Every structure is written in C-alpha cells, then in structure tokens.
PDB file of all heavy atoms in Angstrom:
ATOM      1  N   SER A 341      13.180   1.960  -1.600  1.00  0.00           N
ATOM      2  CA  SER A 341      14.502   2.044  -0.983  1.00  0.00           C
ATOM      3  C   SER A 341      14.560   3.056   0.156  1.00  0.00           C
ATOM      4  O   SER A 341      15.193   2.805   1.181  1.00  0.00           O
ATOM      5  CB  SER A 341      15.571   2.356  -2.027  1.00  0.00           C
ATOM      6  OG  SER A 341      15.287   3.572  -2.687  1.00  0.00           O
ATOM      7  N   ARG A 342      13.879   4.183   0.028  1.00  0.00           N
ATOM      8  CA  ARG A 342      13.882   5.169   1.118  1.00  0.00           C
ATOM      9  C   ARG A 342      13.204   4.615   2.351  1.00  0.00           C
ATOM     10  O   ARG A 342      13.644   4.841   3.474  1.00  0.00           O
ATOM     11  CB  ARG A 342      13.162   6.448   0.709  1.00  0.00           C
ATOM     12  CG  ARG A 342      13.852   7.233  -0.348  1.00  0.00           C
ATOM     13  CD  ARG A 342      13.004   8.424  -0.705  1.00  0.00           C
ATOM     14  NE  ARG A 342      11.665   7.917  -1.025  1.00  0.00           N
ATOM     15  CZ  ARG A 342      10.743   8.590  -1.659  1.00  0.00           C
ATOM     16  NH1 ARG A 342      10.971   9.804  -2.030  1.00  0.00           N
ATOM     17  NH2 ARG A 342       9.578   8.065  -1.922  1.00  0.00           N
ATOM     18  N   PHE A 343      12.116   3.875   2.158  1.00  0.00           N
ATOM     19  CA  PHE A 343      11.346   3.368   3.280  1.00  0.00           C
ATOM     20  C   PHE A 343      11.951   2.109   3.887  1.00  0.00           C
ATOM     21  O   PHE A 343      11.655   1.769   5.017  1.00  0.00           O
ATOM     22  CB  PHE A 343       9.910   3.090   2.847  1.00  0.00           C
ATOM     23  CG  PHE A 343       9.228   4.305   2.303  1.00  0.00           C
ATOM     24  CD1 PHE A 343       8.869   4.368   0.977  1.00  0.00           C
ATOM     25  CD2 PHE A 343       8.965   5.388   3.112  1.00  0.00           C
ATOM     26  CE1 PHE A 343       8.246   5.484   0.461  1.00  0.00           C
ATOM     27  CE2 PHE A 343       8.345   6.519   2.612  1.00  0.00           C
ATOM     28  CZ  PHE A 343       7.984   6.569   1.283  1.00  0.00           C
ATOM     29  N   ASN A 344      12.782   1.398   3.130  1.00  0.00           N
ATOM     30  CA  ASN A 344      13.391   0.168   3.619  1.00  0.00           C
ATOM     31  C   ASN A 344      14.789   0.398   4.174  1.00  0.00           C
ATOM     32  O   ASN A 344      15.472  -0.562   4.524  1.00  0.00           O
ATOM     33  CB  ASN A 344      13.449  -0.885   2.502  1.00  0.00           C
ATOM     34  CG  ASN A 344      12.115  -1.552   2.283  1.00  0.00           C
ATOM     35  OD1 ASN A 344      11.370  -1.768   3.221  1.00  0.00           O
ATOM     36  ND2 ASN A 344      11.803  -1.867   1.051  1.00  0.00           N
ATOM     37  N   GLU A 345      15.221   1.653   4.255  1.00  0.00           N
ATOM     38  CA  GLU A 345      16.553   1.962   4.766  1.00  0.00           C
ATOM     39  C   GLU A 345      16.709   1.394   6.171  1.00  0.00           C
ATOM     40  O   GLU A 345      15.863   1.583   7.042  1.00  0.00           O
ATOM     41  CB  GLU A 345      16.741   3.480   4.793  1.00  0.00           C
ATOM     42  CG  GLU A 345      18.187   3.893   4.903  1.00  0.00           C
ATOM     43  CD  GLU A 345      18.345   5.381   4.667  1.00  0.00           C
ATOM     44  OE1 GLU A 345      18.130   5.818   3.526  1.00  0.00           O
ATOM     45  OE2 GLU A 345      18.661   6.081   5.636  1.00  0.00           O
ATOM     46  N   GLY A 346      17.782   0.670   6.399  1.00  0.00           N
ATOM     47  CA  GLY A 346      18.038   0.072   7.698  1.00  0.00           C
ATOM     48  C   GLY A 346      17.477  -1.331   7.860  1.00  0.00           C
ATOM     49  O   GLY A 346      17.671  -1.962   8.887  1.00  0.00           O
ATOM     50  N   PHE A 347      16.760  -1.832   6.856  1.00  0.00           N
ATOM     51  CA  PHE A 347      16.205  -3.186   6.894  1.00  0.00           C
ATOM     52  C   PHE A 347      16.953  -4.057   5.901  1.00  0.00           C
ATOM     53  O   PHE A 347      17.382  -3.587   4.852  1.00  0.00           O
ATOM     54  CB  PHE A 347      14.718  -3.191   6.517  1.00  0.00           C
ATOM     55  CG  PHE A 347      13.829  -2.511   7.510  1.00  0.00           C
ATOM     56  CD1 PHE A 347      13.456  -1.186   7.325  1.00  0.00           C
ATOM     57  CD2 PHE A 347      13.380  -3.182   8.626  1.00  0.00           C
ATOM     58  CE1 PHE A 347      12.645  -0.545   8.231  1.00  0.00           C
ATOM     59  CE2 PHE A 347      12.556  -2.551   9.541  1.00  0.00           C
ATOM     60  CZ  PHE A 347      12.185  -1.224   9.348  1.00  0.00           C
ATOM     61  N   SER A 348      17.065  -5.345   6.214  1.00  0.00           N
ATOM     62  CA  SER A 348      17.650  -6.278   5.252  1.00  0.00           C
ATOM     63  C   SER A 348      16.617  -6.567   4.172  1.00  0.00           C
ATOM     64  O   SER A 348      15.428  -6.271   4.332  1.00  0.00           O
ATOM     65  CB  SER A 348      18.055  -7.583   5.940  1.00  0.00           C
ATOM     66  OG  SER A 348      16.903  -8.312   6.315  1.00  0.00           O
ATOM     67  N   GLU A 349      17.041  -7.162   3.080  1.00  0.00           N
ATOM     68  CA  GLU A 349      16.117  -7.509   1.987  1.00  0.00           C
ATOM     69  C   GLU A 349      14.996  -8.417   2.500  1.00  0.00           C
ATOM     70  O   GLU A 349      13.847  -8.271   2.119  1.00  0.00           O
ATOM     71  CB  GLU A 349      16.881  -8.199   0.845  1.00  0.00           C
ATOM     72  CG  GLU A 349      16.025  -8.606  -0.333  1.00  0.00           C
ATOM     73  CD  GLU A 349      15.462  -7.442  -1.146  1.00  0.00           C
ATOM     74  OE1 GLU A 349      16.050  -6.359  -1.142  1.00  0.00           O
ATOM     75  OE2 GLU A 349      14.409  -7.640  -1.786  1.00  0.00           O
ATOM     76  N   ALA A 350      15.338  -9.329   3.399  1.00  0.00           N
ATOM     77  CA  ALA A 350      14.342 -10.260   3.938  1.00  0.00           C
ATOM     78  C   ALA A 350      13.315  -9.535   4.814  1.00  0.00           C
ATOM     79  O   ALA A 350      12.167  -9.946   4.900  1.00  0.00           O
ATOM     80  CB  ALA A 350      15.024 -11.359   4.740  1.00  0.00           C
ATOM     81  N   GLU A 351      13.737  -8.439   5.462  1.00  0.00           N
ATOM     82  CA  GLU A 351      12.830  -7.698   6.338  1.00  0.00           C
ATOM     83  C   GLU A 351      11.989  -6.672   5.584  1.00  0.00           C
ATOM     84  O   GLU A 351      10.968  -6.226   6.087  1.00  0.00           O
ATOM     85  CB  GLU A 351      13.616  -6.951   7.418  1.00  0.00           C
ATOM     86  CG  GLU A 351      14.377  -7.839   8.373  1.00  0.00           C
ATOM     87  CD  GLU A 351      15.280  -7.029   9.285  1.00  0.00           C
ATOM     88  OE1 GLU A 351      15.992  -6.141   8.796  1.00  0.00           O
ATOM     89  OE2 GLU A 351      15.253  -7.312  10.497  1.00  0.00           O
ATOM     90  N   SER A 352      12.441  -6.295   4.404  1.00  0.00           N
ATOM     91  CA  SER A 352      11.733  -5.252   3.667  1.00  0.00           C
ATOM     92  C   SER A 352      10.377  -5.768   3.186  1.00  0.00           C
ATOM     93  O   SER A 352      10.191  -6.953   2.972  1.00  0.00           O
ATOM     94  CB  SER A 352      12.568  -4.764   2.489  1.00  0.00           C
ATOM     95  OG  SER A 352      12.730  -5.773   1.529  1.00  0.00           O
ATOM     96  N   VAL A 353       9.450  -4.858   3.061  1.00  0.00           N
ATOM     97  CA  VAL A 353       8.108  -5.207   2.618  1.00  0.00           C
ATOM     98  C   VAL A 353       7.661  -4.225   1.536  1.00  0.00           C
ATOM     99  O   VAL A 353       8.194  -3.130   1.420  1.00  0.00           O
ATOM    100  CB  VAL A 353       7.086  -5.190   3.782  1.00  0.00           C
ATOM    101  CG1 VAL A 353       7.405  -6.255   4.797  1.00  0.00           C
ATOM    102  CG2 VAL A 353       7.010  -3.825   4.417  1.00  0.00           C
ATOM    103  N   LEU A 354       6.674  -4.615   0.789  1.00  0.00           N
ATOM    104  CA  LEU A 354       6.084  -3.744  -0.213  1.00  0.00           C
ATOM    105  C   LEU A 354       5.194  -2.760   0.544  1.00  0.00           C
ATOM    106  O   LEU A 354       4.151  -3.133   1.082  1.00  0.00           O
ATOM    107  CB  LEU A 354       5.281  -4.568  -1.222  1.00  0.00           C
ATOM    108  CG  LEU A 354       4.687  -3.828  -2.397  1.00  0.00           C
ATOM    109  CD1 LEU A 354       5.780  -3.113  -3.204  1.00  0.00           C
ATOM    110  CD2 LEU A 354       3.922  -4.775  -3.286  1.00  0.00           C
ATOM    111  N   LYS A 355       5.622  -1.526   0.604  1.00  0.00           N
ATOM    112  CA  LYS A 355       4.963  -0.541   1.467  1.00  0.00           C
ATOM    113  C   LYS A 355       3.515  -0.251   1.093  1.00  0.00           C
ATOM    114  O   LYS A 355       2.709   0.046   1.956  1.00  0.00           O
ATOM    115  CB  LYS A 355       5.757   0.777   1.471  1.00  0.00           C
ATOM    116  CG  LYS A 355       7.164   0.636   2.002  1.00  0.00           C
ATOM    117  CD  LYS A 355       7.171   0.065   3.404  1.00  0.00           C
ATOM    118  CE  LYS A 355       8.546   0.012   4.011  1.00  0.00           C
ATOM    119  NZ  LYS A 355       9.229  -1.231   3.873  1.00  0.00           N
ATOM    120  N   VAL A 356       3.170  -0.345  -0.173  1.00  0.00           N
ATOM    121  CA  VAL A 356       1.816  -0.014  -0.596  1.00  0.00           C
ATOM    122  C   VAL A 356       0.788  -1.018  -0.055  1.00  0.00           C
ATOM    123  O   VAL A 356      -0.389  -0.694   0.058  1.00  0.00           O
ATOM    124  CB  VAL A 356       1.738   0.126  -2.137  1.00  0.00           C
ATOM    125  CG1 VAL A 356       1.766  -1.221  -2.820  1.00  0.00           C
ATOM    126  CG2 VAL A 356       0.554   0.952  -2.563  1.00  0.00           C
ATOM    127  N   ILE A 357       1.234  -2.221   0.334  1.00  0.00           N
ATOM    128  CA  ILE A 357       0.302  -3.203   0.899  1.00  0.00           C
ATOM    129  C   ILE A 357       0.632  -3.549   2.345  1.00  0.00           C
ATOM    130  O   ILE A 357       0.016  -4.437   2.931  1.00  0.00           O
ATOM    131  CB  ILE A 357       0.241  -4.500   0.047  1.00  0.00           C
ATOM    132  CG1 ILE A 357       1.597  -5.177  -0.030  1.00  0.00           C
ATOM    133  CG2 ILE A 357      -0.335  -4.191  -1.327  1.00  0.00           C
ATOM    134  CD1 ILE A 357       1.548  -6.566  -0.653  1.00  0.00           C
ATOM    135  N   TYR A 358       1.570  -2.833   2.956  1.00  0.00           N
ATOM    136  CA  TYR A 358       1.928  -3.095   4.356  1.00  0.00           C
ATOM    137  C   TYR A 358       0.781  -2.708   5.284  1.00  0.00           C
ATOM    138  O   TYR A 358       0.162  -1.665   5.132  1.00  0.00           O
ATOM    139  CB  TYR A 358       3.187  -2.310   4.759  1.00  0.00           C
ATOM    140  CG  TYR A 358       3.445  -2.395   6.234  1.00  0.00           C
ATOM    141  CD1 TYR A 358       4.025  -3.540   6.776  1.00  0.00           C
ATOM    142  CD2 TYR A 358       3.073  -1.371   7.090  1.00  0.00           C
ATOM    143  CE1 TYR A 358       4.233  -3.643   8.139  1.00  0.00           C
ATOM    144  CE2 TYR A 358       3.280  -1.460   8.448  1.00  0.00           C
ATOM    145  CZ  TYR A 358       3.858  -2.594   8.970  1.00  0.00           C
ATOM    146  OH  TYR A 358       4.060  -2.706  10.318  1.00  0.00           O
ATOM    147  N   SER A 359       0.524  -3.556   6.246  1.00  0.00           N
ATOM    148  CA  SER A 359      -0.470  -3.270   7.268  1.00  0.00           C
ATOM    149  C   SER A 359      -0.090  -3.998   8.541  1.00  0.00           C
ATOM    150  O   SER A 359       0.291  -5.168   8.500  1.00  0.00           O
ATOM    151  CB  SER A 359      -1.852  -3.740   6.819  1.00  0.00           C
ATOM    152  OG  SER A 359      -2.783  -3.567   7.861  1.00  0.00           O
ATOM    153  N   SER A 360      -0.189  -3.303   9.663  1.00  0.00           N
ATOM    154  CA  SER A 360       0.044  -3.969  10.943  1.00  0.00           C
ATOM    155  C   SER A 360      -1.280  -4.481  11.507  1.00  0.00           C
ATOM    156  O   SER A 360      -1.307  -5.097  12.552  1.00  0.00           O
ATOM    157  CB  SER A 360       0.711  -3.014  11.928  1.00  0.00           C
ATOM    158  OG  SER A 360      -0.131  -1.897  12.169  1.00  0.00           O
ATOM    159  N   GLY A 361      -2.355  -4.219  10.782  1.00  0.00           N
ATOM    160  CA  GLY A 361      -3.680  -4.655  11.209  1.00  0.00           C
ATOM    161  C   GLY A 361      -4.364  -5.455  10.131  1.00  0.00           C
ATOM    162  O   GLY A 361      -3.782  -6.378   9.562  1.00  0.00           O
ATOM    163  N   GLU A 362      -5.572  -5.061   9.815  1.00  0.00           N
ATOM    164  CA  GLU A 362      -6.358  -5.765   8.809  1.00  0.00           C
ATOM    165  C   GLU A 362      -5.944  -5.332   7.408  1.00  0.00           C
ATOM    166  O   GLU A 362      -5.373  -4.267   7.217  1.00  0.00           O
ATOM    167  CB  GLU A 362      -7.844  -5.483   9.030  1.00  0.00           C
ATOM    168  CG  GLU A 362      -8.339  -6.013  10.363  1.00  0.00           C
ATOM    169  CD  GLU A 362      -9.820  -5.758  10.558  1.00  0.00           C
ATOM    170  OE1 GLU A 362     -10.555  -5.734   9.556  1.00  0.00           O
ATOM    171  OE2 GLU A 362     -10.215  -5.595  11.705  1.00  0.00           O
ATOM    172  N   GLY A 363      -6.279  -6.147   6.398  1.00  0.00           N
ATOM    173  CA  GLY A 363      -5.885  -5.906   5.020  1.00  0.00           C
ATOM    174  C   GLY A 363      -6.447  -4.648   4.400  1.00  0.00           C
ATOM    175  O   GLY A 363      -5.913  -4.128   3.436  1.00  0.00           O
ATOM    176  N   HIS A 364      -7.532  -4.118   4.965  1.00  0.00           N
ATOM    177  CA  HIS A 364      -8.097  -2.887   4.403  1.00  0.00           C
ATOM    178  C   HIS A 364      -7.452  -1.636   4.997  1.00  0.00           C
ATOM    179  O   HIS A 364      -7.888  -0.531   4.739  1.00  0.00           O
ATOM    180  CB  HIS A 364      -9.629  -2.859   4.581  1.00  0.00           C
ATOM    181  CG  HIS A 364     -10.073  -2.824   6.004  1.00  0.00           C
ATOM    182  ND1 HIS A 364     -10.271  -3.960   6.736  1.00  0.00           N
ATOM    183  CD2 HIS A 364     -10.340  -1.787   6.824  1.00  0.00           C
ATOM    184  CE1 HIS A 364     -10.652  -3.629   7.960  1.00  0.00           C
ATOM    185  NE2 HIS A 364     -10.696  -2.313   8.033  1.00  0.00           N
ATOM    186  N   GLU A 365      -6.406  -1.808   5.780  1.00  0.00           N
ATOM    187  CA  GLU A 365      -5.677  -0.680   6.373  1.00  0.00           C
ATOM    188  C   GLU A 365      -4.363  -0.434   5.637  1.00  0.00           C
ATOM    189  O   GLU A 365      -3.353  -0.090   6.251  1.00  0.00           O
ATOM    190  CB  GLU A 365      -5.428  -0.935   7.847  1.00  0.00           C
ATOM    191  CG  GLU A 365      -6.697  -1.026   8.664  1.00  0.00           C
ATOM    192  CD  GLU A 365      -6.449  -1.354  10.118  1.00  0.00           C
ATOM    193  OE1 GLU A 365      -5.280  -1.495  10.522  1.00  0.00           O
ATOM    194  OE2 GLU A 365      -7.436  -1.467  10.857  1.00  0.00           O
ATOM    195  N   THR A 366      -4.373  -0.598   4.322  1.00  0.00           N
ATOM    196  CA  THR A 366      -3.157  -0.387   3.532  1.00  0.00           C
ATOM    197  C   THR A 366      -3.294   0.874   2.684  1.00  0.00           C
ATOM    198  O   THR A 366      -4.402   1.344   2.419  1.00  0.00           O
ATOM    199  CB  THR A 366      -2.899  -1.579   2.583  1.00  0.00           C
ATOM    200  OG1 THR A 366      -3.930  -1.611   1.597  1.00  0.00           O
ATOM    201  CG2 THR A 366      -2.823  -2.900   3.333  1.00  0.00           C
ATOM    202  N   LEU A 367      -2.158   1.388   2.254  1.00  0.00           N
ATOM    203  CA  LEU A 367      -2.155   2.546   1.373  1.00  0.00           C
ATOM    204  C   LEU A 367      -2.884   2.216   0.072  1.00  0.00           C
ATOM    205  O   LEU A 367      -3.703   3.007  -0.410  1.00  0.00           O
ATOM    206  CB  LEU A 367      -0.721   2.980   1.089  1.00  0.00           C
ATOM    207  CG  LEU A 367      -0.550   4.126   0.094  1.00  0.00           C
ATOM    208  CD1 LEU A 367      -1.294   5.373   0.553  1.00  0.00           C
ATOM    209  CD2 LEU A 367       0.928   4.423  -0.106  1.00  0.00           C
ATOM    210  N   LEU A 368      -2.625   1.043  -0.490  1.00  0.00           N
ATOM    211  CA  LEU A 368      -3.263   0.672  -1.748  1.00  0.00           C
ATOM    212  C   LEU A 368      -4.783   0.614  -1.604  1.00  0.00           C
ATOM    213  O   LEU A 368      -5.522   1.095  -2.457  1.00  0.00           O
ATOM    214  CB  LEU A 368      -2.729  -0.657  -2.277  1.00  0.00           C
ATOM    215  CG  LEU A 368      -3.325  -1.118  -3.604  1.00  0.00           C
ATOM    216  CD1 LEU A 368      -3.084  -0.082  -4.705  1.00  0.00           C
ATOM    217  CD2 LEU A 368      -2.760  -2.465  -4.006  1.00  0.00           C
ATOM    218  N   TYR A 369      -5.257   0.056  -0.533  1.00  0.00           N
ATOM    219  CA  TYR A 369      -6.702  -0.035  -0.308  1.00  0.00           C
ATOM    220  C   TYR A 369      -7.331   1.355  -0.317  1.00  0.00           C
ATOM    221  O   TYR A 369      -8.351   1.581  -0.970  1.00  0.00           O
ATOM    222  CB  TYR A 369      -6.998  -0.753   1.012  1.00  0.00           C
ATOM    223  CG  TYR A 369      -8.457  -1.004   1.247  1.00  0.00           C
ATOM    224  CD1 TYR A 369      -9.062  -2.154   0.763  1.00  0.00           C
ATOM    225  CD2 TYR A 369      -9.243  -0.087   1.934  1.00  0.00           C
ATOM    226  CE1 TYR A 369     -10.414  -2.395   0.961  1.00  0.00           C
ATOM    227  CE2 TYR A 369     -10.586  -0.305   2.135  1.00  0.00           C
ATOM    228  CZ  TYR A 369     -11.167  -1.464   1.653  1.00  0.00           C
ATOM    229  OH  TYR A 369     -12.508  -1.701   1.840  1.00  0.00           O
ATOM    230  N   HIS A 370      -6.707   2.284   0.387  1.00  0.00           N
ATOM    231  CA  HIS A 370      -7.235   3.648   0.457  1.00  0.00           C
ATOM    232  C   HIS A 370      -7.164   4.353  -0.900  1.00  0.00           C
ATOM    233  O   HIS A 370      -8.082   5.088  -1.269  1.00  0.00           O
ATOM    234  CB  HIS A 370      -6.530   4.447   1.537  1.00  0.00           C
ATOM    235  CG  HIS A 370      -6.843   3.954   2.921  1.00  0.00           C
ATOM    236  ND1 HIS A 370      -8.087   4.072   3.495  1.00  0.00           N
ATOM    237  CD2 HIS A 370      -6.090   3.294   3.814  1.00  0.00           C
ATOM    238  CE1 HIS A 370      -8.083   3.529   4.694  1.00  0.00           C
ATOM    239  NE2 HIS A 370      -6.879   3.040   4.914  1.00  0.00           N
ATOM    240  N   LEU A 371      -6.079   4.117  -1.636  1.00  0.00           N
ATOM    241  CA  LEU A 371      -5.975   4.701  -2.974  1.00  0.00           C
ATOM    242  C   LEU A 371      -7.048   4.145  -3.900  1.00  0.00           C
ATOM    243  O   LEU A 371      -7.660   4.880  -4.673  1.00  0.00           O
ATOM    244  CB  LEU A 371      -4.589   4.439  -3.565  1.00  0.00           C
ATOM    245  CG  LEU A 371      -3.423   5.192  -2.929  1.00  0.00           C
ATOM    246  CD1 LEU A 371      -2.092   4.659  -3.455  1.00  0.00           C
ATOM    247  CD2 LEU A 371      -3.556   6.682  -3.186  1.00  0.00           C
ATOM    248  N   LEU A 372      -7.276   2.846  -3.829  1.00  0.00           N
ATOM    249  CA  LEU A 372      -8.311   2.226  -4.663  1.00  0.00           C
ATOM    250  C   LEU A 372      -9.696   2.770  -4.328  1.00  0.00           C
ATOM    251  O   LEU A 372     -10.497   3.020  -5.221  1.00  0.00           O
ATOM    252  CB  LEU A 372      -8.280   0.705  -4.513  1.00  0.00           C
ATOM    253  CG  LEU A 372      -7.084   0.007  -5.152  1.00  0.00           C
ATOM    254  CD1 LEU A 372      -7.006  -1.445  -4.695  1.00  0.00           C
ATOM    255  CD2 LEU A 372      -7.135   0.105  -6.669  1.00  0.00           C
ATOM    256  N   GLU A 373      -9.962   2.971  -3.037  1.00  0.00           N
ATOM    257  CA  GLU A 373     -11.247   3.547  -2.644  1.00  0.00           C
ATOM    258  C   GLU A 373     -11.437   4.934  -3.255  1.00  0.00           C
ATOM    259  O   GLU A 373     -12.519   5.280  -3.693  1.00  0.00           O
ATOM    260  CB  GLU A 373     -11.347   3.654  -1.125  1.00  0.00           C
ATOM    261  CG  GLU A 373     -11.726   2.369  -0.447  1.00  0.00           C
ATOM    262  CD  GLU A 373     -12.021   2.587   1.019  1.00  0.00           C
ATOM    263  OE1 GLU A 373     -11.295   3.369   1.679  1.00  0.00           O
ATOM    264  OE2 GLU A 373     -12.983   1.977   1.503  1.00  0.00           O
ATOM    265  N   LYS A 374     -10.369   5.724  -3.277  1.00  0.00           N
ATOM    266  CA  LYS A 374     -10.443   7.072  -3.850  1.00  0.00           C
ATOM    267  C   LYS A 374     -10.627   7.033  -5.365  1.00  0.00           C
ATOM    268  O   LYS A 374     -11.041   8.017  -5.957  1.00  0.00           O
ATOM    269  CB  LYS A 374      -9.208   7.874  -3.476  1.00  0.00           C
ATOM    270  CG  LYS A 374      -9.156   8.232  -2.002  1.00  0.00           C
ATOM    271  CD  LYS A 374      -7.993   9.128  -1.708  1.00  0.00           C
ATOM    272  CE  LYS A 374      -7.906   9.459  -0.243  1.00  0.00           C
ATOM    273  NZ  LYS A 374      -9.008  10.232   0.273  1.00  0.00           N
ATOM    274  N   CYS A 375     -10.319   5.908  -5.970  1.00  0.00           N
ATOM    275  CA  CYS A 375     -10.438   5.762  -7.424  1.00  0.00           C
ATOM    276  C   CYS A 375     -11.735   5.079  -7.836  1.00  0.00           C
ATOM    277  O   CYS A 375     -11.904   4.720  -8.999  1.00  0.00           O
ATOM    278  CB  CYS A 375      -9.242   4.974  -7.965  1.00  0.00           C
ATOM    279  SG  CYS A 375      -7.681   5.839  -7.800  1.00  0.00           S
ATOM    280  N   GLU A 376     -12.664   4.904  -6.925  1.00  0.00           N
ATOM    281  CA  GLU A 376     -13.939   4.250  -7.257  1.00  0.00           C
ATOM    282  C   GLU A 376     -14.686   4.949  -8.376  1.00  0.00           C
ATOM    283  O   GLU A 376     -15.470   4.325  -9.085  1.00  0.00           O
ATOM    284  CB  GLU A 376     -14.829   4.168  -6.017  1.00  0.00           C
ATOM    285  CG  GLU A 376     -14.396   3.097  -5.049  1.00  0.00           C
ATOM    286  CD  GLU A 376     -15.303   3.011  -3.835  1.00  0.00           C
ATOM    287  OE1 GLU A 376     -15.723   4.066  -3.329  1.00  0.00           O
ATOM    288  OE2 GLU A 376     -15.583   1.877  -3.406  1.00  0.00           O
ATOM    289  N   PHE A 377     -14.429   6.246  -8.565  1.00  0.00           N
ATOM    290  CA  PHE A 377     -15.098   7.013  -9.618  1.00  0.00           C
ATOM    291  C   PHE A 377     -14.708   6.526 -11.020  1.00  0.00           C
ATOM    292  O   PHE A 377     -15.442   6.715 -11.983  1.00  0.00           O
ATOM    293  CB  PHE A 377     -14.727   8.504  -9.513  1.00  0.00           C
ATOM    294  CG  PHE A 377     -13.285   8.769  -9.880  1.00  0.00           C
ATOM    295  CD1 PHE A 377     -12.943   9.055 -11.199  1.00  0.00           C
ATOM    296  CD2 PHE A 377     -12.287   8.701  -8.931  1.00  0.00           C
ATOM    297  CE1 PHE A 377     -11.616   9.278 -11.551  1.00  0.00           C
ATOM    298  CE2 PHE A 377     -10.968   8.926  -9.273  1.00  0.00           C
ATOM    299  CZ  PHE A 377     -10.628   9.216 -10.582  1.00  0.00           C
ATOM    300  N   ALA A 378     -13.540   5.898 -11.114  1.00  0.00           N
ATOM    301  CA  ALA A 378     -12.982   5.518 -12.420  1.00  0.00           C
ATOM    302  C   ALA A 378     -13.670   4.284 -12.982  1.00  0.00           C
ATOM    303  O   ALA A 378     -14.120   3.406 -12.238  1.00  0.00           O
ATOM    304  CB  ALA A 378     -11.484   5.272 -12.298  1.00  0.00           C
ATOM    305  N   ASP A 379     -13.705   4.233 -14.304  1.00  0.00           N
ATOM    306  CA  ASP A 379     -14.217   3.046 -14.989  1.00  0.00           C
ATOM    307  C   ASP A 379     -13.148   1.957 -15.042  1.00  0.00           C
ATOM    308  O   ASP A 379     -13.465   0.771 -15.096  1.00  0.00           O
ATOM    309  CB  ASP A 379     -14.630   3.408 -16.424  1.00  0.00           C
ATOM    310  CG  ASP A 379     -15.701   4.473 -16.449  1.00  0.00           C
ATOM    311  OD1 ASP A 379     -16.738   4.295 -15.772  1.00  0.00           O
ATOM    312  OD2 ASP A 379     -15.494   5.500 -17.123  1.00  0.00           O
ATOM    313  N   ARG A 380     -11.886   2.372 -15.045  1.00  0.00           N
ATOM    314  CA  ARG A 380     -10.742   1.462 -15.119  1.00  0.00           C
ATOM    315  C   ARG A 380      -9.662   1.990 -14.185  1.00  0.00           C
ATOM    316  O   ARG A 380      -9.392   3.186 -14.164  1.00  0.00           O
ATOM    317  CB  ARG A 380     -10.205   1.433 -16.552  1.00  0.00           C
ATOM    318  CG  ARG A 380      -9.323   0.290 -16.867  1.00  0.00           C
ATOM    319  CD  ARG A 380     -10.104  -0.908 -16.639  1.00  0.00           C
ATOM    320  NE  ARG A 380      -9.853  -2.014 -17.514  1.00  0.00           N
ATOM    321  CZ  ARG A 380     -10.165  -3.219 -17.128  1.00  0.00           C
ATOM    322  NH1 ARG A 380     -10.680  -3.426 -15.960  1.00  0.00           N
ATOM    323  NH2 ARG A 380      -9.975  -4.226 -17.929  1.00  0.00           N
ATOM    324  N   ILE A 381      -9.050   1.109 -13.393  1.00  0.00           N
ATOM    325  CA  ILE A 381      -7.966   1.487 -12.495  1.00  0.00           C
ATOM    326  C   ILE A 381      -6.739   0.679 -12.887  1.00  0.00           C
ATOM    327  O   ILE A 381      -6.739  -0.550 -12.791  1.00  0.00           O
ATOM    328  CB  ILE A 381      -8.313   1.213 -11.016  1.00  0.00           C
ATOM    329  CG1 ILE A 381      -9.619   1.924 -10.637  1.00  0.00           C
ATOM    330  CG2 ILE A 381      -7.164   1.651 -10.113  1.00  0.00           C
ATOM    331  CD1 ILE A 381     -10.182   1.492  -9.301  1.00  0.00           C
ATOM    332  N   ILE A 382      -5.721   1.364 -13.342  1.00  0.00           N
ATOM    333  CA  ILE A 382      -4.483   0.703 -13.744  1.00  0.00           C
ATOM    334  C   ILE A 382      -3.522   0.772 -12.559  1.00  0.00           C
ATOM    335  O   ILE A 382      -3.213   1.853 -12.066  1.00  0.00           O
ATOM    336  CB  ILE A 382      -3.869   1.374 -14.977  1.00  0.00           C
ATOM    337  CG1 ILE A 382      -4.843   1.252 -16.153  1.00  0.00           C
ATOM    338  CG2 ILE A 382      -2.510   0.763 -15.319  1.00  0.00           C
ATOM    339  CD1 ILE A 382      -4.456   2.075 -17.354  1.00  0.00           C
TER     340      ILE A 382
END
C-alpha cells in the first residue's frame, strides 16, 4: 500500500517482482541469491 500510493488497483504491481528490465532485476531475485546458503527457502 505504501508503494502503490497514487496508483489505481489496475496499475499497482507486486513490488517484490517488479522490473523495468529483465526478470533477474527484481528484489525477489536478489533476495533469493542472498539465500543460496540455505537448504530451504520459504
């Protein structure tokens, strides 16, 4: 909600997977890379 302020529901996006470029330029991708040490990632 903080990040979607000023956008309609149709314009809002899931910020953790938002990318204006390639799919590996998302917050989730970078977080997953940092979690490579783990045996399980929830």
Side-chain angles (χ1 to χ4, degrees):
S341 59
R342 292 177 307 196
F343 302 113
N344 282 325
E345 197 169 292
F347 293 96
S348 71
E349 180 68 25
E351 296 172 314
S352 66
V353 295
L354 185 58
K355 299 303 185 265
V356 75
I357 61 170
Y358 171 78
S359 175
S360 61
E362 296 181 31
H364 64 272
E365 296 177 1
T366 67
L367 176 58
L368 181 59
Y369 186 88
H370 292 292
L371 290 170
L372 289 168
E373 279 189 320
K374 290 185 182 295
C375 294
E376 284 181 320
F377 70 90
D379 300 307
R380 197 59 145 158
I381 304 168
I382 298 170

